[in-house]
Amino acid sequence: MSRALLREDDSLKQILNDADIPTGQQARAVGDLLFISEGGLLARRANWAIGDQRRLPARQLPAVIMLMERRPYAVAHLASQVRHIALLRQQHFHAG
């Protein structure tokens, strides 16, 4: 699904290119960004100790390291694409 999003979202591709993320690592970076952005949604829904632990990655995600100061912009961009992301998920994971 990350690859499909990259193919269809030129702005996201530009954010990753501006951060000098190699093309071969961009799909994984999108996956990391999705994890981070959706963790933020969990933060608004769940306010309990286990929820707090679950929404934080156990390790530093590669996209976080590579994007550095561009990360908030990239996460905000994904948040603005939530309907499109849901449609891609439906097409890729729930088709059949």
Side-chain angles (χ1 to χ4, degrees), residues 5-66:
L5 186 57
L6 273 171
R7 278 193 305 270
E8 298 176 14
D9 190 336
D10 292 334
S11 295
L12 179 59
K13 184 107 174 131
Q14 188 61 49
I15 292 167
L16 299 174
N17 286 334
D18 288 347
D20 295 324
I21 297 176
T23 303
Q25 295 178 22
Q26 289 183 356
R28 181 175 178 174
V30 170
D32 290 349
L33 287 167
L34 286 168
F35 179 85
I36 292 167
S37 66
E38 291 172 349
L41 297 176
L42 176 61
R44 289 188 288 276
R45 287 194 316 252
N47 192 9
W48 42 284
I50 294 174
D52 290 343
Q53 291 173 344
R54 293 292 177 219
R55 82 173 169 264
L56 297 174
R59 60 178 169 76
Q60 189 73 287
L61 299 172
V64 174
I65 297 167
M66 291 186 280

